[in-house]
Amino acid sequence: MENNIILPRHVAVIMDGNGRWAKKRGLPRTFGHKVGTENVRKIVKYCSKKGIQYLTVYAFSTENFKRPEEEVGTLMKLLVEYFNKETEELRQNGVRLNVIGDISAFSPIVQKAINDGIKKTKDCKDLVFTIALAYGARAELVRAVKMICNDNVKDITEETISKYLYTFDMPDPDLIIRTSGEQRLSNYLLYQAAYSEFYFTDCLWPDFDEREFDKALEEYSKRNRRFGGV
Ligand code: FPP
């Protein structure tokens, strides 16, 4: 890959295709999520190595609560394992864990694992790794509007809204990647994606390795971002 590639500061990912990856192999969907979680580890490491400053992944949407109980249970278990097992290594590698979404509907065990991970990595400065959990962009906007009303804000600007989103302390995503051939946002970062570049690939999330990530970065580096100018 070229060395003078322009790196996105913030990459957001819709990690799609775990279920299909497993089905293709005659395995249960939950196995796809397990391998998908291993891939999260790999991609976080790679982003750290490349010097990407913000990585945000969509791990559980507000709509995902509708999935079969067993699948939701597996996802929760994988999350707890991830936070419990990975936090120390992430901390040593300068990765700050962050969560966006309303995790109050998660069980106390899951909430504790998440909050412990956030607390232990709070001073890390190299990569902010954000996991969207029980997240939906419309719910995020409703929450922001309610808080703005409660705070009685008079002069509401675009920046005011940004400040009331879960993502108040990070730049908007430069690049949004969606794996598995689907080409939609699925209620992900709607306000923040106003000027994001999109990269869609047929590759399923468990197969989306460092080489595939590099392809997305190369494609991004060729785009001409004008932000509405000429
Ligand atoms: C989409 O694939 C994937 C999800 C809904 C869950 C993604 C979650 C993980 C990879 C685990 C999260 C772990 C951490 C630590 C962040 P799908 O099941 O909708 O796939 P399909 O469209 O092929 O059915």
Side-chain angles (χ1 to χ4, degrees), residues 113-178:
I114 294 170
N115 289 328
D116 285 353
I118 293 173
K119 214 152 105 197
K120 284 187 190 142
T121 58
K122 71 175 178 17
D123 296 323
C124 295
K125 301 244 175 326
D126 296 336
L127 167 68
V128 179
F129 174 43
T130 301
I131 309 179
L133 290 172
Y135 174 86
R138 288 183 174 177
E140 179 186 35
L141 281 164
V142 170
R143 173 181 173 270
V145 171
K146 282 184 180 163
M147 290 196 298
I148 290 169
C149 291
N150 275 340
D151 289 351
N152 217 355
V153 181
K154 286 282 166 300
D155 182 24
I156 301 171
T157 64
E158 291 183 7
E159 284 69 35
T160 315
I161 295 173
S162 294
K163 291 253 159 342
Y164 279 84
L165 298 177
Y166 289 120
T167 50
F168 67 93
D169 57 352
M170 54 177 105
D172 286 340
D174 301 295
L175 171 65
I176 298 185
I177 298 171
R178 183 167 190 155

Side-chain angles (χ1 to χ4, degrees), residues 15-20 29 33 36-37 59 64 67 75 82 131:
M15 313 182 286
D16 203 1
N18 292 345
R20 274 164 286 168
R29 292 177 54 77
H33 293 315
T37 306
N64 286 155
R67 293 195 175 197
L75 284 167
Y82 182 84
I131 309 179

Side-chain angles (χ1 to χ4, degrees), residues 60-91:
F60 197 88
S61 71
T62 42
E63 289 71 32
N64 286 155
F65 281 112
K66 294 184 215 144
R67 293 195 175 197
E69 213 178 300
E70 192 213 344
E71 187 168 340
V72 174
T74 299
L75 284 167
M76 292 302 126
K77 194 170 143 260
L78 288 169
L79 273 171
V80 171
E81 272 175 24
Y82 182 84
F83 276 90
N84 288 344
K85 285 196 193 145
E86 296 295 307
T87 297
E88 186 46 31
E89 196 183 325
L90 292 171
R91 197 186 61 76

